């Protein structure tokens, strides 16, 4: 009997074939319409089906996650650990980005002519993005706190961009469930537990489509990025090559150095094993550029391949997909300084420290959807008095960098989840297993 290829291999094949098809269409300048009309929809169906389950999954898994913790003291212990580690990794990421951009100074070597061209080319686009943060800017500094509390929970649940509000509500329900009499709470917990399992099952169905979805997404992305004028698109990307390389270098540093070091410090899990286990989630993060859309797969991989208990993963991961964005914050640090450099503005140490603070907060507020990072970057720029219109300079390669920073966002969540599980006494020998001895009866 023929052996089936593992999922990640199938996804990689889809990715490479999609890339080749996209490049061929751009190169020979035929078939772009066909790709957009007939191939792209397959990718859209794939992403939509992942997004479709994001809200119910976050809701169900967090409610079950919190109520499974059993008591408020365990919740505060795991919650405190989780949030602290998320904060620390984010600050490390922004600082790394700042160090790299100050060493390589990519903004200083951008020719003035290229800078002016970019500014005119993307002027309108910037208008769009700035108006999206206009509202935010006019409000009090406590706006992020206010934003966490939904005025209508169904309204929040109707919008994948309001995940933080869904998280807030779910944690509240979980805490309340710990405090109502058992006979009242149990059926509710059982309901959400069942819902959780059903959604994970649906993830399995959707993943059958993954190789085709990824193929379609890649092919249409290439065609769309290069647009009608592939030569000028390539020229633009080359002009911003140094900036892009600094961002990419920082992101790879996170994945290859920072995360392995943290894992080594707190767990017995070998990084290679960890990497193998979360590969499908990383590939999906790359192609969908969305941590929220990737969340179901991240949960499945961390539970099934690493053996983290559902108790920990269903609390740590949905929270991480919403508030922990190491890749985004690193990118925001590099981008803010790059723009300042290109516009000839020198940033003081205080302004750079301000970036650490605002990029950390901005990444918490960034929704796990494509392109959200660049919108929040405007807030970072404003905090250091750099004109927001400067984002015109970095719009061209943003779509591609988004794919890479999302990989880091998702890897960071999975890493912190593994650390929290280990410090809770799970994964004692660091071996990858299909199920955790602590959560199965065979132990
Ligand atoms: N696309 C990223 C994510 O979903 C957010 C960003 O734009 O940086 O994690």
């Amino acid at each position: 009997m023929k052996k089936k290829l593992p999922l990640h291999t199938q996804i990689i094949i889809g990715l490479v074939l999609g890339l080749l098809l996209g490049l061929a269409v751009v190169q020979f300048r035929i078939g772009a319409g066909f790709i957009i009309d007939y191939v792209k929809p397959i990718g859209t169906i794939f992403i939509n089906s992942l997004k479709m389950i994001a809200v119910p999954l976050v809701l169900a898994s967090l409610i079950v996650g919190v109520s499974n913790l059993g008591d408020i003291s365990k919740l505060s212990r795991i919650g405190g650990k989780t949030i602290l580690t998320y904060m620390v990794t984010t600050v490390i990421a922004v600082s790394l980005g700042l160090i790299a951009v100050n060493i390589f100074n990519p903004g200083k070597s951008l020719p003035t002519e290229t800078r002016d061209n970019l500014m005119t080319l993307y002027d309108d686009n910037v208008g769009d993005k700035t108006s999206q943060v206009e509202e935010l800017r006019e409000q009090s500094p406590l706006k992020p706190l206010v934003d966490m509390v939904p005025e209508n929970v169904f309204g929040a649940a109707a919008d994948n961009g309001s995940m933080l509000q869904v998280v807030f509500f779910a944690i509240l329900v979980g805490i309340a469930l710990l405090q109502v009499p058992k006979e009242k709470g149990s059926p509710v917990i059982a309901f959400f537990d069942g819902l959780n399992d059903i959604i994970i099952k649906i993830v399995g169905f959707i993943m059958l489509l993954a190789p085709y979805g990824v193929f379609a997404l890649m092919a249409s992305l290439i065609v769309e990025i290069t647009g009608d004028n592939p030569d000028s698109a390539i020229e633009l990307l080359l002009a911003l090559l140094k900036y892009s390389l600094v961002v990419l270098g920082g992101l790879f540093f996170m994945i290859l150095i920072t995360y392995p070091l943290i894992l080594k410090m707190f767990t017995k899990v070998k990084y290679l094993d960890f990497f193998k286990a979360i590969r499908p989630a990383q590939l999906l993060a790359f192609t969908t550029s969305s941590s929220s859309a990737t969340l179901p797969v991240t949960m499945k991989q961390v539970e099934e391949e690493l053996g983290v208990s559902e108790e920990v993963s269903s609390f740590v991961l949905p929270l991480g997909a919403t508030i922990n964005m190491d890749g985004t914050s690193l990118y925001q640090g590099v981008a803010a300084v790059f723009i300042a450099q290109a516009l000839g503005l020198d940033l003081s140490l205080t302004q750079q420290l301000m970036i650490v603070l605002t990029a950390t907060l901005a990444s918490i507020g960034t929704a796990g959807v494509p392109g959200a990072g660049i919108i929040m970057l405007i807030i970072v720029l404003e905090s250091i008095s750099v004109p927001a219109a400067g984002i015109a300079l970095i719009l061209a390669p943003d779509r591609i960098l988004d794919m890479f920073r999302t990989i880091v966002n998702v890897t960071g969540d999975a890493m912190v989840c593994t650390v929290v599980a280990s410090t809770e006494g799970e994964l004692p020998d660091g071996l990858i297993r299909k199920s955790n001895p602590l959560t199965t009866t065979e132990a």
Side-chain angles (χ1 to χ4, degrees), residues 254-315:
M254 286 302 286
I255 299 231
L256 299 176
I257 314 273
T258 315
Y259 293 154
L261 279 179
I262 301 180
L263 265 190
K264 205 172 162 51
M265 258 192 280
F266 295 101
T267 75
K268 292 211 170 83
V269 177
K270 289 204 189 63
Y271 196 61
L272 209 61
D273 291 341
F274 169 80
F275 206 71
K276 276 189 195 147
I278 59 155
R279 238 172 348 191
Q282 291 178 320
L283 287 168
L284 215 59
F286 181 73
T287 36
T288 60
S289 294
S290 168
S291 323
S292 297
T294 311
L295 175 65
V297 178
T298 320
M299 289 183 76
K300 191 168 187 301
Q301 293 304 114
V302 165
E303 282 169 25
E304 289 179 9
E305 300 293 324
L306 280 172
V308 171
S309 71
E310 202 183 319
E311 186 183 74
V312 169
S313 79
S314 59
F315 174 72

Side-chain angles (χ1 to χ4, degrees), residues 298-362:
T298 320
M299 289 183 76
K300 191 168 187 301
Q301 293 304 114
V302 165
E303 282 169 25
E304 289 179 9
E305 300 293 324
L306 280 172
V308 171
S309 71
E310 202 183 319
E311 186 183 74
V312 169
S313 79
S314 59
F315 174 72
V316 178
L317 288 176
L319 198 64
T322 318
I323 67 165
N324 184 50
M325 309 247 169
D326 297 343
T328 301
S329 59
L330 184 145
Y331 141 87
Q332 285 172 338
V334 177
V337 177
F338 170 80
I339 293 172
Q341 287 175 347
L343 297 179
L345 305 166
D346 265 332
L347 294 180
S348 64
L349 187 64
T350 330
Q351 280 172 309
Q352 303 233 12
L353 288 177
M354 192 67 190
I355 298 181
V356 176
L357 181 73
T358 45
T360 304
L361 293 178

